[in-house]
Amino acid sequence: WVRLLNAKQRALHPSVTRFHHMNTQNPSLGQCPYCGCKILSRDILIEYESGVWADCPDCLEVVAPE
């Protein structure tokens, strides 16, 4: 079981640590499907073989970048 927290929820729960992708260049993964903001590898919350879920830095939603 995995619970994903958005940025506001993480701010309220400081004991929750964020997954940081090991790539230091932070390439773009795509755009937020809601607001169109660029999603970078540093925004990844969880990564599967089939794709990633990331935290949109603009609208603060958990999204699958497009």
Side-chain angles (χ1 to χ4, degrees):
W1 182 79
V2 175
R3 180 172 181 208
L4 299 177
L5 302 177
N6 66 30
K8 289 180 185 176
Q9 291 169 320
R10 282 195 310 278
L12 296 174
H13 300 284
S15 63
V16 176
T17 58
R18 183 180 178 135
F19 169 78
H20 288 282
H21 198 271
M22 297 305 291
N23 189 332
T24 58
Q25 293 180 349
N26 288 315
S28 176
L29 300 173
Q31 295 182 24
C32 173
Y34 301 113
C35 70
C37 179
K38 185 186 293 185
I39 305 293
L40 303 177
S41 64
R42 69 172 181 229
D43 300 314
I44 292 174
L45 296 172
I46 192 163
E47 188 169 4
Y48 295 103
E49 289 180 10
S50 60
V52 300
W53 288 91
D55 190 22
C56 176
D58 198 30
C59 70
L60 305 178
E61 292 294 325
V62 176
V63 299
E66 298 179 341

